Structures are given as C-alpha cells and as structure tokens.
Amino acid sequence: MRPHTLVGMSPAPRQSVLLLLDPGSGVTHLADPGDPVLTADDRSAHRGDGIFETVLVDAAGVHNRRRHLERFIRSAEALELPRPDPAIWESAFDEAVQAHRRAFPEAAEFSVRYALSRGPDAALAPRGWFLTAPAPAEYARQRTEGIAIGSLDRGTPAYVGKDAPWLLQGAKTLSYAVNLAAGRWAAQHGYDDALFFSHDGANSIALEFPTANLVIARGRTLLTPDPGAGLLHGTTQQGLFAAAEAAGWTTAYADLRREDILGADAAWTTSSLRRALPLASLDGEELARDAELEREVFAFVHPDLAPDT
Ligand code: PLP
C-alpha cells in the first residue's frame, strides 16, 4: 500500500519540480512532484509541525532571498527545530531554481516553497523539501482592479504573543488551517480576502491577511502594523519599505485602526507572490485609490534587479 502523502498530494501542481533535502547532511535528490514522499506519521502531515517559506523568482532573480532565509531560521528557533544551516539551504535552493528553469525554460515567474518538518513520530529526523510552482494568474487582474476585503476578528488581543510565546506568532509554521478557513470565509462572503483585526473591542487594530500583510499610504508615508502585535513580518513589506526609504519616502510600523484604513490615500495587500495589490473596498466601503502612489509602490516591489537582500 502506498503511504499517505503531503508533498506530492494529488493533483500535483503542473509545471513543478520537487527537490528533497536531508537538512543534516545536505544531501538532495529530485523527485516527481506526484510521488508520495512523506509517511503518514510525519509530524508536518498530521500536526502541521514544521516551517516554510514561499519565495518569488522571476527574470530579475530571487526576491528577498536573505529576508526569507532569516525568517526561516527565526521560525525554526521559535519551534525549537534544529537550526537550518544557511549554506545547505542556500545550495539546495539554487538547485531547485536551476531544476525548474531547466524543466520549464519559458517560465517567466515562479515560486519556490521550501519547508522543514520535524520528521516522522518514530525517528523525529527532520526533513526538508523544495517545491516550485507557476505564480498564480489572478494577481495580474487584481493589480489593476484592486481587491475587496472583509474584516474578521482574529479572536486574540494585539500583542498577546509577548505573554504567550506558544502561540508562535511571527513564525511561519505549516499549521495554516486557520488561515485557509479565513480565506474560505472571505470567498463565501463575496470578498477577495479577509483582513484580521485584533480582539480588542473598540481598540481593535488591523493585523494581517491570512497570507499577506497590510500597507497603507498617507501621501508618501507608508504604514504597516507592528509585527509584535501578532503577525508575520513580511519579506515583501520589508523590501517595499527599504526601496521606499531609499527613494525618500517615510515608513513606520503603527497600530492601525479601521478608520486609518478608510482614511488612507491608498492601501495594499503585500506578499511574495502578490507583491502589492491595491485594496478597493473594506466591508463594502470603497477605499481611496491613487494612480500615482500605486505606480510608485508597484515599481518598488517590481525592481528591475531583484535585490539579494
Ligand atoms: N502574513 C502571513 C500570515 C503570510 O502567510 C504571509 C506570506 O505567506 C505574509 C504575511 C506575507 O509575507 P511575505 O511578504 O514574506 O510573503
């Protein structure tokens, strides 16, 4: 009987390559993305006990490579997983990118999702893998049209992670069932995405989307929620802020209320694959859009030369 699988769970993404990594020795081998490669007792498969990163690669290169690897290492620390050896993960990453480019030379833009599992119950021998995939098609349309978002109560107060580190806020773990449930809620209510707010009654602040961050503009000042409030510190948001600062803009982490979003000159959702998508409405209320700000922010997250930062 074939073992249960997570990686390679059918239907396998088309135009993907799968590279398996032994994170201890650095030994890699390419596998068929449709092949069963994890046993049913793997902690990542039945507990979500592991970490991952999703990285954008395009003709310009690898985006926010260093920021992804640093966050991956921080996530490993938070879960008390063995520290990923940067040399091993960098080398395997390059191998996966090269394998994808060899297999699909026409691919302009693709993602590399890399993950580390604690391993099977019996041995707890960590396992790593890299799965590539084409970038989702719908983001190009949403970049022009903007997206409609609905607000959701996250159920926990802001900054609760300080006293409750076991919530693993800020770590990019493989436990995404809650994030996916929020995405389904959004779709069922006619929204393109859901924005989590903290459970603080009248003092509630915006946190993040299930798989993306919030950035708003007041003129040429960009604001985003403080990661310490209980959200993932986005590599795209960090890259955007660095590019904006270099161009003379002001940036800041801030507690943002609902009124701040409604009163912003423009607002975006940012993530590695989305880069920056403008927000068109919040709970049915139209949000301001500004073509010039959008054009400039678009340029910040679409650098000609991907910074290896
Ligand atoms: N917040 C969450 C919960 C995410 O899952 C992600 C990305 O997947 C982000 C924010 C955005 O992070 P990044 O820009 O590094 O992709």
Side-chain angles (χ1 to χ4, degrees):
M1 206 174 98
R2 302 177 97 195
H4 288 248
T5 63
L6 178 66
V7 174
M9 194 159 53
S10 71
R14 286 181 299 146
Q15 297 226 325
S16 292
V17 302
L18 173 63
L19 181 78
L20 306 178
L21 168 70
D22 173 352
S25 66
V27 171
T28 57
H29 70 269
L30 284 166
D32 184 319
D35 278 353
V37 293
L38 289 181
T39 52
D41 69 341
D42 193 281
R43 285 285 182 96
S44 64
H46 73 99
R47 298 278 193 216
D49 191 11
I51 56 173
F52 76 107
E53 288 294 325
T54 302
V55 183
L56 174 68
V57 184
D58 66 10
V62 180
H63 290 260
N64 292 309
R65 178 182 180 130
R66 181 178 56 77
R67 292 190 177 98
H68 279 289
L69 187 58
E70 284 173 359
R71 188 172 64 190
F72 192 62
I73 291 171
R74 282 200 307 277
S75 296
E77 276 164 11
L79 270 71
E80 298 175 59
L81 284 162
R83 186 176 195 275
D85 179 335
I88 285 179
W89 285 82
E90 292 276 22
S91 156
F93 183 90
D94 288 336
E95 197 182 336
V97 168
Q98 283 156 16
H100 188 94
R101 288 203 165 122
R102 256 196 326 272
F104 312 107
E106 73 294 350
E109 188 173 291
F110 59 97
S111 66
V112 181
R113 192 165 72 222
Y114 57 89
L116 170 65
S117 161
R118 201 178 301 274
D121 284 332
L124 291 187
R127 299 167 180 209
W129 64 89
F130 294 73
L131 183 67
T132 68
E138 74 264 25
Y139 296 151
R141 178 183 54 78
Q142 294 181 339
R143 202 160 288 142
T144 315
E145 292 179 2
I147 66 165
I149 61 168
S151 55
L152 268 191
D153 186 335
R154 182 156 227 167
T156 45
Y159 299 98
V160 68
K162 282 190 189 135
D163 299 322
W166 46 87
L167 292 179
L168 299 176
Q169 289 182 342
K172 195 162 168 65
T173 78
L174 286 167
S175 310
Y176 260 51
V178 170
N179 309 48
L180 294 177
R184 286 195 301 274
W185 175 90
Q188 284 155 8
H189 290 79
Y191 299 119
D192 296 308
D193 210 348
L195 178 60
F196 284 124
F197 280 78
S198 68
H199 187 72
D200 288 308
N203 296 321
S204 168
I205 57 170
L207 297 171
E208 65 182 340
F209 298 92
T211 61
N213 291 112
L214 169 72
V215 174
I216 70 169
R218 284 186 196 139
R220 284 187 173 67
T221 295
L222 295 179
L223 301 165
T224 196
D226 181 347
L231 53 119
L232 197 69
H233 198 178
T235 61
T236 315
Q237 170 266 310
Q238 292 174 66
L240 166 60
F241 275 29
E245 282 162 23
W249 291 37
T250 305
T251 66
Y253 294 93
D255 288 349
L256 300 176
R257 305 276 178 94
R258 183 185 174 77
E259 308 81 67
D260 294 315
I261 302 169
L262 292 171
D265 294 322
W268 295 264
T269 174
T270 66
S271 75
S272 299
L273 299 187
R274 291 174 180 83
R275 304 201 207 208
L277 302 178
L279 305 186
S281 64
L282 170 62
D283 296 327
E285 277 192 68
E286 200 174 325
L287 295 174
R289 294 193 53 186
D290 181 310
E292 181 56 18
L293 290 175
E294 283 182 19
R295 191 190 60 72
E296 291 183 62
V297 163
F298 186 78
F300 293 146
V301 292
H302 292 70
D304 292 336
L305 284 178
D308 186 15
T309 49

